[in-house]
Amino acid sequence: MAGIVIASILLLLFLIPLLFPGTVASEVKKIANERLDTKMDFSKSRLSFFTHFPSLTVSLDHLSMTGSAPFRNDTLIKAEQVAFGINLKRLIFDNEVKINKLYVSKALINIMVNQKGQANYNIYISDPKNIKNEDKPEEGTAIRLERIDLEDCHVKYNDRSAKILVDAKGFNYIGKGNLSEDIFDLNTNAKIDNIDFYYNRTAYLRKKELRADLITRINTNALSFILQKNELKINKLPLKFTGFFTILRDGYKINIKAASENTTVKDLFSVMPPEYLTWMDETEISGKSDLLFTFRGNYNVSKNQKPDLAFNLKIDEGAINYQNAPAPLKDFQMNLNAVLPSLDVEKLLINLRTLKFKVGEKDYFNAYLHSKGFNEMTVDASVKGALDLATVDAALGLTSIELKGILKTNIQAKGVFSTSKKLFPKTIGGISLHQGWLKTDSYPNPITDITFVANVLNKAGTFKDLIIAVAPASFVFEGNPMYVNATLSDFGDLAYNAKIKGELNVGRIYQVFSQKGLDVTGYAKADLSLKGKQSYATNGEYDKLDNRGTLLLRNIKATSELFPKSFFIKEGNFRFQNEKMWFEKFYASYGKSDFDINGYLLNTINYFLESQGTLNGNFNMKSKLINVDEFMALEKGENKDRNIEVQYAKEDHPKMSGVVIIPKNLNVALTANADKVEYNGLVFHKLSGKVGIAKGGLFLENTTFNIIDCILGIAASYKDETPTSAHFNAHFTAKDFSVQRAYKEIPMFHDMVTAAEKAQGIISVDYNVKGDLNGNMGPIYESLEGGGTITLRDVQVKGLKLFDGISSQTGQKVLNNPDMKGIVINSTIDNNLIHIEPFTFSVASFRPTIKGTTSFDGLLDLRMRLGLPPGGLVGFPIVITGTHEEPKIKIFSKTGQKIYDAIYDEKNNKVVREEKVSKRKS
C-alpha cells in the first residue's frame, strides 16, 4: 500500500506540470502584461516540481526587465532564472494560479534613482478592480508571497539624488513570512560576500563581508518597515539596527538607529579597506569602542525635505603595537560627534571633543575641534603635538612608507571662517618639521633633508589681519635641492613675497607617492621671485608688481576633469615679467592633436590666489592637426578623474561621444593657424583666423579654411549646455564650389539641399544658421533657425524626379534637365522646414517660377508657375507635393499640402513633435 501511495505521488509530480502548462504560462504572461508597466522578456518557461522541490514552480529562464520611466531603456532585472511558486491546491481544485513563492538566481538587480528623485522600480500597476471592489473575493491570478529567495545575485543601488551607491556581490537572501497579510513579520537571513558603500563618490565600505539576521514588521498598507530584530555583522563588527522605514509616493520617511556598543577597537578596524587587513594580523590592537549612527526624517526632492544624519564614535584605552615595536602607540582616545541636519553641509556640526595618543614616554598628540557650518564656519580648534616620526612609523607598522623627522605643532584657532565675508578665525601657532625623510616602496630613493617651518598669526579675526610665513621650506631629491620662502599677509588684498628655486624630476617624485608602472615622466626647473599685491594687478598698477624669473617644464602630463585625455607638455619655457607670464616656447599635444603656442597670460598669480579667478591671455597658435572629436566629453580616454556631470552622462549615454566642454575660467584670444582640423568625419585644411574663449563659450572671427577645394569663411559662437548638448550660431560664406562634392562630403548641405543629388556645377553660399547640437555633436535639425542665399553660377540638373514629373505632366521634355545659371535662391529655415522664396529661371523659352516649403525629412509643398513663351507673361500653376523621392505633380492647381512644422523644446533639448503633413487641404 505504501508503495502505491509513493508511486502515485511520483506520478503526480510528473503529470501535474503536463496537465497545466498552458494555464500557468498564459497566466504568468497575463499578470505581467496587466500589472507591470515595463518590458519583460524571457527565453523559455518551464513548470516543474524539481526546480525548487517540493514547490510547484513556473520558471522563466534568462529573464530581463527594464525600469519605469525615465529608465525604460535601462535594465532593472536580468536573471539567469526567476521562478514563481504555485499554490498547488488552488491550481488543482480551482484551476487558479496563486503565486506564493519567489525564487531569483544569478541575477543583476539594478536599482536607480536620478537627480530628481525618480526611481526605476515603480513598475507595478495597481489593479483598479481590487480598489473598487475590496470586499469581493479575488479571482484569477494573484500574488500572495510566503517566501522570497535570492541566490548569488548582484544588487546595485545608485541614488544620485542622495549621492549614495551600494554595490553588493554574492547577495544571498531568504525572506519568510505571510506576505499576503496587510501587516506581517518578515524573517530574513542574508549573506553578502562583497559589499561597497559610497557616499558622494567617497568609499566608506569596500569589499566587506556582511551577515544579517533580521525580523522586520512590514505594513503593506503604508509600505512601512519596522526593524524589530536586526543584527548585522560587517566583517567582525556587529551592528544592531532599530527603527522604521516607510516608502512614500515621492520619497521616504526614515527613523533608523544603528549601534555597535561595547565592541573592541580591533573589531572596528576590521571594516577598514581590505589592503589593511593583513596589517591587522601582525599588529596588537586593543581598546574599547562604541559606535552610534542615526538617520531620521523625511526625504522628498520636490519639497526639498531631507533627513538628519548623526554619527558618534568613542574609542578609549586604545593601543597599537606593530610587531613588538620599541615604543607602541598607547592611551589612544577619541570622542567624535557629527550631525548633518537635512543632509545640508551648511548646517554641519562637528564636535571632536578628544583626539589624543602617546608614543613612548615623550611623544604626544592632542587635538580638539568644534565647528558649525561649512562655507561660513564657526571654529574652535587646537592641535598640539611633538612626534618623532620614525617612532610613530614603527608603532603603526607603515609598511608602504618610511618616515623620519621631528614634527612639532602648536596651533589654536577660534572664530568664524567665511570667504564671502572675509573672516578668518583668530589664530596663533605654527608647525615645523626638521631632519625630515620620506621613502615609499614605489620608488627606491627617498626625499631627504626635509625642512618645513610655517607660522600663522591672526589677532583680529579677519582676512586683512592674517599672516602666513613659510621660511624656510626645502628638501633634496636625487641630489637636487628645492627651496621655498614665502610670506602671505592681508588676505583681503593679498600681499605676497615668495622665492622658489630648484629643479625636480616630476616623474620620479610622482612615483614616490604613486604606484609602480605608471607612465608619468617630467622635469621642472624654477627660479622665481614673486612680490606684489592682489589689487595691483586688478587695478592695472602693473608697475608696482615685481614678478620675475623663469619656469621650465618638460614632458609633463596634465589632466582636466572636462576632457577624456591627458595634455602632454613636451616643452614649456615660461618667463614671468610683472603682470605677464610669457609662453616663450610651448609645445604640447592632446591625443593626435598638437599645439605650438607663444604669447602671454595676464594675472596668473591672482588666478591661483582667487577661488574663482579667470585666466586672461593673448596667443599665437600653430598646429599640424586638431582633432575635435578627441575633446568630446564622453569619448574614451585615460583620464579617470572626471567631472561628476560628465560621469553621469557617460553612464546614461554609453554610445554618445558628448560635446566639447569649454572651461569657464578662461578669457583668451588666439590667432590660430592649423594645417588640418578633423571633426565628425569632416576634414578642414588650412584653418586661419581669430579664436576666442570667454565666459565658457568659444568664438570664431574672420576664420577661413579649405574644404572641398574652396575657401569657407565662418564667424561663429559655440557654448556647451550639458555634456550632451550645446548651442551654436554661425555665419557661413563659400564661393564657387562644386555642388556635387558639397552634397557628398558635407552632411548638413546634403540634408538642406537634397536636390543637389542630381546637380552638377558651381554654386556659392551665404547663410546664417543657429541651433542646438546633440550628444554626438551633430545638429538637431528641429532646432535650427536661419536664412540666406544660394547662388547658382552654372548648374545642370539631370534626372531629378521633380523635374521629370513636371516634364511628363506638361509634355515638355525640355524641362527634364534644366540648366540654371546666375540664379539667386533666398530661403529661411525653422522647425525642420525650409521656406523658399520665389525664384525664376529660364529653360528653353519657358520661365518657371518656384516657391514654397520643404522639410529636412523630404516633404514637399511647392508652388510653381510655368511661364509660357514668349517672355513668360502668360502661364499656368503647378503644385508639387509628396516627397523628394515620390513627388506628386498637379497641373492647373493651387491646392497643395500644408506641412505643419516641428515643435522643439529648447530648454530641454527635446523634439516635442515632428513635422507632418496636414490631412486637410490648404
Side-chain angles (χ1 to χ4, degrees), residues 633-811:
L634 308 190
E635 284 289 333
K636 292 181 180 179
E638 67 273 18
N639 185 15
K640 304 301 181 185
D641 187 16
R642 305 300 308 278
N643 175 283
I644 191 168
E645 287 190 9
V646 171
Q647 196 62 44
Y648 284 162
K650 282 172 67 70
E651 294 173 7
D652 293 341
H653 309 286
K655 295 183 180 180
M656 285 187 178
S657 65
V659 302
V660 178
I661 299 178
I662 306 299
K664 303 297 186 287
N665 57 351
L666 292 180
N667 185 8
V668 175
L670 300 98
T671 299
N673 288 276
D675 293 341
K676 186 163 68 171
V677 177
E678 295 180 357
Y679 162 60
N680 259 355
L682 294 173
V683 179
F684 306 97
H685 297 277
K686 300 298 180 184
L687 180 144
S688 177
K690 299 286 186 180
V691 179
I693 300 174
K695 297 180 180 179
L698 183 141
F699 305 89
L700 301 177
E701 181 182 346
N702 296 327
T703 302
T704 61
F705 49 81
N706 187 300
I707 186 170
I708 59 171
D709 292 330
C710 85
I711 303 299
L712 178 65
I714 181 172
S717 64
Y718 167 92
K719 191 176 182 68
D720 60 278
E721 297 173 338
T722 72
T724 56
S725 64
H727 184 80
F728 75 97
N729 190 338
H731 177 208
F732 300 97
T733 58
K735 291 185 178 181
D736 299 340
F737 62 89
S738 165
V739 63
Q740 190 58 210
R741 285 195 63 185
Y743 179 83
K744 291 179 178 179
E745 300 179 30
I746 303 176
M748 194 169 177
F749 186 88
H750 174 284
D751 296 332
M752 286 183 63
V753 192
T754 52
E757 179 186 10
K758 303 296 182 179
Q760 299 284 343
I762 304 300
I763 69 172
S764 298
V765 170
D766 188 334
Y767 223 88
N768 288 284
V769 63
K770 66 178 181 178
D772 291 338
L773 301 176
N774 60 26
N776 290 312
M777 210 152 166
I780 301 174
Y781 287 103
E782 291 83 356
S783 74
L784 299 183
E785 298 178 27
T789 61
I790 298 176
T791 302
L792 313 183
R793 194 183 84 180
D794 186 3
V795 174
Q796 299 82 41
V797 180
K798 295 183 180 182
L800 187 66
K801 290 182 179 180
L802 187 150
F803 285 120
D804 286 350
I806 295 172
S807 175
S808 175
Q809 290 282 341
T810 61

Side-chain angles (χ1 to χ4, degrees), residues 188-214:
T188 299
N189 182 269
K191 172 180 174 290
I192 301 175
D193 295 335
N194 281 296
I195 185 169
D196 298 341
F197 176 81
Y198 289 78
Y199 176 71
N200 199 17
R201 303 177 81 189
T202 299
Y204 290 89
L205 289 177
R206 279 199 306 117
K207 297 182 180 180
K208 298 305 170 190
E209 184 182 42
L210 187 143
R211 300 286 184 274
D213 184 12
L214 318 173

